[in-house]
Amino acid sequence: MCAVDDNRPVRRNNSGSSSGSSVFIIAAAEGSEVSRRKERERIYGSRPSMATQTTASCTGSTLLQPISEIINLPLDQVNFVACQLFALLMAVWFRLYLHPSKTSPFIRHVVATLLGFYLALFCFGWYSLHFLVQSGLSYSVMVFAGLENMHKYCFIVTLGYLILCQITRVYVFDYGMYSADFTGPMMVITQKITSLAFEIHDGLTKREGQLTPSQKYLAISRMPSLLEYLSYNCNFMGILAGPTCSYNDYMAFIEGTCYEPRHHQENANGKENGKYKQSEPSPKNDVISKLCTCAISLAIYLSLCKLLPVEHSIDNDFVSSTPFYLQVVYLYFAMLALRPKYYFVWTLADAINNAAGFGFNGYNKDGSPRWDLISNLRILDIEFATSFKMFLDNWNIQTALWLKRVCYERCPINPTAATFLLSAMWHGVYPGYYLTFLTGIAMTMAARAVRHNIRPYFLVSDSYKCVYDVITWAWTQVAISYTVVPFVLLAVGPSLKFYRSWYFCLHLLCLLVVLALPVKSRRRQVKEQQDGLQKDGLHGRPDRAQQHR
């Protein structure tokens, strides 16, 4: 597989992800090479590219080239799917034959790491060396920098190296095209490294009273060895498509303690975990269920992706001849057709981890095991989301948790804007990403204002609440589709063309809503609630004492 496969260029077409950067593996080849090239030039403009110069420098495996030609899909995509299926088989073998009861954590670390490096080499060739360079630089910072500032330096070095690689890949090699996107796995590794740095900082420099319950659970009290560090970053279950996970959860999986009761408030219910005494539940049913979800998602995507391209929404003839309400409907269905490829990739990645025995998250009330500890999405909650926040909370869950832990909870000034900015920088350097996340800030603020000021009037009865839910579902789907169009189109020109065709209506609406319905920041609300509880505590005790007299 090569850095750029000019023989089979496929235009990049995605709507947001973490490990989701690797979703290129199921993008179907569309039309002939000439027609695809003309389409790219029409949308992105004529732009010099080094694609033809780099074709000869392919370094990935060509073993599956015959299969690529038979099924008419680019070799990098075939390699990726093949590696994920191989990882699924290795995960089953890993759980059965390298079970913690049969082998030591050292062996499990070594095998997981070596298999991960093999998959990376098969898919990305020498570009996979970037994974080692990024991990090595960050580990050096952790070891040699002082504990007080280690997490900040590590964050800057890790994210900076990722952005440097993204700039090189996008603007030097293959603007607007899919290729062997080695920066996709680097995005997940960046999440893991930065999370680890903050967790070490919390565990070694802060007292328990300074940490939230979640931070206490995640805090690390010793520096990981180099093997543990590489195993965490580059294990075969998550090297290609993630998802990210906490270091403590990964170590519990390696050491075989992940089935013990846990008290992690974000992801598990401690009461349910301790209620049932099954020592080691089988992930078989959940893995089969997730593989079925993958098959359905892939079938839906391949059936609809060519029929409903998002780019059609900026076609001059379509815009001029189609009523606006039908343009809105078309955009919704185009985005609906795009999402299943993310469902496929993230659900398959989750199934691979579960098959290896990783992802157990306690028990449901009926005693059935839960295998959603590192799940990246909840499909029904996404499709039926009734608020912008609800959609984001159920989409790319592990990335949202990472952003919350390393930015939102720690940024002293405007954490919402800072979180969206970090998300844009992490995703890449295409201008469309920044347009999407700047729009997302406005959407979030407006949605928050509406929820706090209007929603209470609809809670007086179930029928009113139902009407509110239907209206907010429709608005949420339109708002999400409108927001992520630049993420799909990537370039400034096509993105602004789309917004102009809509007269920037939702941008203006958000501005009016925020001005007309101001709302306090969440941190200020929490602080006021805490102050109120403290006052009640101070003034309530004397009253109760007087009542007992």
Side-chain angles (χ1 to χ4, degrees):
M1 182 186 57
C2 53
V4 178
D5 188 354
D6 195 50
N7 294 323
R8 296 180 183 273
V10 179
R11 189 187 55 75
R12 182 168 180 141
N13 187 21
N14 58 355
S15 61
S17 74
S18 63
S19 51
S21 288
S22 300
V23 295
F24 67 83
I25 52 97
I26 58 166
E30 299 176 11
S32 66
E33 176 185 351
V34 174
S35 64
R36 287 193 297 267
R37 188 171 297 162
K38 288 181 178 179
E39 178 70 7
R40 283 201 309 275
E41 291 178 356
R42 183 181 68 81
I43 294 175
Y44 299 103
S46 179
R47 184 180 181 89
S49 174
M50 293 182 63
T52 56
Q53 301 177 26
T54 57
T55 302
S57 63
C58 298
T59 56
S61 174
T62 58
L63 179 66
L64 302 180
Q65 181 68 50
I67 297 178
S68 172
E69 295 173 354
I70 292 172
I71 64 177
N72 193 31
L73 283 179
L75 179 59
D76 55 356
Q77 300 175 13
V78 174
N79 282 348
F80 193 100
V81 172
C83 283
Q84 286 294 77
L85 295 178
F86 176 75
L88 180 65
L89 295 177
M90 288 297 97
V92 175
W93 172 82
F94 191 83
R95 181 172 62 86
L96 295 178
Y97 295 97
L98 292 183
H99 190 273
S101 64
K102 300 178 181 179
T103 188
S104 67
F106 175 82
I107 297 298
R108 284 167 63 84
H109 278 306
V110 169
V111 173
T113 305
L114 292 179
L115 284 174
F117 286 151
Y118 172 75
L119 295 180
L121 285 169
F122 191 92
C123 272
F124 304 107
W126 68 267
Y127 289 101
S128 57
L129 291 177
H130 286 292
F131 308 162
L132 287 178
V133 173
Q134 184 188 36
S135 298
L137 287 174
S138 302
Y139 191 74
S140 299
V141 172
M142 291 182 189
V143 171
F144 295 109
L147 286 175
E148 286 298 325
N149 296 308
M150 172 267 292
H151 58 304
K152 298 177 183 178
Y153 297 151
C154 192
F155 183 88
I156 293 171
V157 169
T158 306
L159 186 64
Y161 191 84
L162 171 66
I163 293 174
L164 179 63
C165 289
Q166 289 171 329
I167 291 173
T168 302
R169 187 189 67 80
V170 171
Y171 292 105
V172 175
F173 292 110
D174 60 332
Y175 188 91
M177 290 192 302
Y178 267 129
S179 67
D181 186 2
F182 65 93
T183 62
M186 288 181 67
M187 293 168 70
V188 180
I189 293 174
T190 297
Q191 290 183 343
K192 291 182 176 181
I193 292 173
T194 52
S195 296
L196 180 64
F198 278 93
E199 291 159 8
I200 293 173
H201 175 76
D202 289 343
L204 296 180
T205 66
K206 293 185 178 181
R207 297 186 298 273
E208 283 197 3
Q210 298 175 287
L211 304 175
T212 65
S214 172
Q215 290 170 348
K216 290 179 184 177
Y217 174 84
L218 298 171
I220 300 170
S221 57
R222 69 173 181 85
M223 181 68 68
S225 69
L226 181 59
L227 175 61
E228 292 169 339
Y229 175 78
L230 291 176
S231 175
Y232 171 59
N233 288 336
C234 303
N235 63 80
F236 74 97
M237 296 98 68
I239 184 66
L240 298 183
T244 191
C245 60
S246 78
Y247 178 79
N248 284 340
D249 286 334
Y250 180 73
M251 289 300 295
F253 156 70
I254 290 292
E255 295 170 358
T257 61
C258 57
Y259 303 107
E260 297 176 1
R262 67 178 79 239
H263 303 285
H264 188 4
Q265 294 188 357
E266 275 188 301
N267 287 331
N269 185 321
K271 293 181 180 178
E272 293 169 6
N273 286 331
K275 186 175 179 180
Y276 298 93
K277 298 299 182 181
Q278 187 175 357
S279 60
E280 185 172 338
S282 171
K284 182 178 68 173
N285 292 337
D286 286 79
V287 170
I288 292 175
S289 174
K290 290 174 182 179
L291 291 179
C292 291
T293 300
C294 289
I296 295 171
S297 298
L298 183 59
I300 293 174
Y301 173 71
L302 294 178
S303 300
L304 299 179
C305 66
K306 297 180 184 179
L307 299 176
L308 298 167
V310 177
E311 294 76 18
H312 189 60
S313 62
I314 61 173
D315 181 78
N316 292 330
D317 293 337
F318 174 78
V319 173
S320 61
S321 62
T322 307
F324 182 71
Y325 75 92
L326 289 181
Q327 293 184 43
V328 175
V329 173
Y330 179 85
L331 181 65
Y332 166 70
F333 281 108
M335 290 299 178
L336 186 66
L338 198 62
R339 288 197 286 268
K341 68 179 180 182
Y342 297 94
Y343 299 163
F344 169 81
V345 172
W346 286 335
T347 305
L348 178 58
D350 196 18
I352 292 170
N353 281 272
N354 292 168
F358 187 27
F360 176 68
N361 196 25
Y363 295 92
N364 295 306
K365 293 181 179 179
D366 61 359
S368 60
R370 293 166 51 190
W371 288 89
D372 60 353
L373 179 66
I374 55 174
S375 295
N376 228 359
L377 76 167
R378 289 183 281 266
I379 296 176
L380 293 180
D381 289 335
I382 289 171
E383 298 300 342
F384 295 101
T386 56
S387 71
F388 203 82
K389 181 181 183 300
M390 182 178 176
F391 187 102
L392 296 181
D393 285 347
N394 293 286
W395 172 270
N396 208 353
I397 296 171
Q398 301 307 318
T399 293
L401 288 175
W402 171 70
L403 291 168
K404 174 185 175 183
R405 292 165 180 170
V406 304
C407 184
Y408 188 84
E409 292 180 342
R410 301 174 190 268
C411 183
I413 302 174
N414 203 339
T416 298
T419 301
F420 274 100
L421 177 60
L422 173 59
S423 184
M425 295 172 64
W426 172 79
H427 274 91
V429 293
Y430 286 109
Y433 295 165
Y434 292 85
L435 288 175
T436 284
F437 287 106
L438 287 173
T439 303
I441 295 173
M443 291 289 180
T444 299
M445 295 174 64
R448 189 178 298 169
V450 169
R451 183 175 180 84
H452 282 270
N453 290 276
I454 296 179
R455 186 171 181 269
Y457 294 103
F458 287 85
L459 299 181
V460 294
S461 68
D462 291 340
S463 58
Y464 277 47
K465 176 65 165 53
C466 183
V467 170
Y468 177 84
D469 287 343
V470 171
I471 294 173
T472 53
W473 170 83
W475 273 107
T476 297
Q477 297 302 322
V478 173
I480 288 290
S481 301
Y482 178 91
T483 300
V484 302
V485 164
F487 211 115
V488 178
L489 300 180
L490 300 177
V492 173
S495 302
L496 293 181
K497 181 179 180 181
F498 168 77
Y499 282 146
R500 282 196 299 269
S501 71
W502 281 49
Y503 303 101
F504 292 89
C505 59
L506 294 193
H507 286 89
L508 296 175
L509 181 60
C510 288
L511 179 61
L512 292 175
V513 168
V514 171
L515 292 176
L517 303 173
V519 63
K520 297 176 183 177
S521 68
R522 292 187 177 182
R523 288 191 174 185
R524 185 176 175 184
Q525 292 180 37
V526 171
K527 187 176 185 303
E528 290 181 354
Q529 291 174 356
Q530 292 175 344
D531 292 342
L533 291 174
Q534 290 177 356
K535 289 180 180 179
D536 291 342
L538 290 174
H539 296 294
R541 288 172 185 169
D543 294 339
R544 285 194 294 270
Q546 290 176 2
Q547 291 174 1
H548 285 293
R549 288 179 183 173

